[in-house]
Amino acid sequence: QVQLVESGGGLVQTGGSLRLSCAASGSIRSINVMGWYRQAPGKQREYVGSIDGTGLIHSADSVKDRFTITRDNAINSVALQMNSLKPEDTAIYYCYCNAQRVGNPGPPVNYWGQGTQVTVSS
């Protein structure tokens, strides 16, 4: 199995910064994409951004100028640096990876972390 563990959430004031980290572990053969989604109360899960193995990054327009995604392929980790936070960024943030497991010849599968709460106070 593949496990993802997130850390770094918390409470911050408007305009502040937080850094989320996520590490993948387990029987991993390869990871294609790592990234983040978020889900605010009463809303659907929303794409935040992702990064592939070559460093190509995609980000949602709502966060593009404020959030930065980085990845360390050596340790199967991804980070989300969030600056200029707004109350509307309040959500549970979920890390995911699209990966293939050792000994599994099938297509890559998405794995998810348990989520970490980010709350931005006004």
Side-chain angles (χ1 to χ4, degrees):
Q1 192 53 281
V2 176
Q3 299 85 33
L4 291 102
V5 177
E6 300 119 333
S7 61
L11 173 65
V12 65
Q13 292 184 333
T14 296
S17 298
L18 279 175
R19 181 179 176 86
L20 306 183
S21 298
C22 172
S25 63
S27 55
I28 299 169
R29 180 158 67 91
S30 64
I31 297 179
N32 300 315
V33 177
M34 300 189 79
W36 299 88
Y37 276 74
R38 66 186 182 184
Q39 187 165 18
K43 294 188 177 181
Q44 291 188 330
R45 192 171 292 193
E46 173 190 33
Y47 173 79
V48 175
S50 59
I51 180 169
D52 71 11
T54 69
L56 181 64
I57 296 170
H58 295 280
S59 299
D61 288 342
S62 60
V63 306
K64 190 168 294 186
D65 297 327
R66 301 181 295 121
F67 292 6
T68 302
I69 296 176
T70 56
R71 174 173 171 174
D72 188 336
N73 292 327
I75 57 173
N76 292 332
S77 69
V78 64
L80 181 67
Q81 177 66 42
M82 304 184 292
N83 299 328
S84 302
L85 282 161
K86 306 175 181 179
E88 51 263 45
D89 295 318
T90 295
I92 299 175
Y93 284 70
Y94 296 91
C95 169
Y96 79 98
C97 73
N98 181 260
Q100 289 182 295
R101 290 172 53 192
V102 174
N104 186 344
V109 175
N110 284 345
Y111 297 91
W112 294 88
Q114 79 287 355
T116 185
Q117 177 70 47
V118 171
T119 303
V120 185
S121 63
S122 56

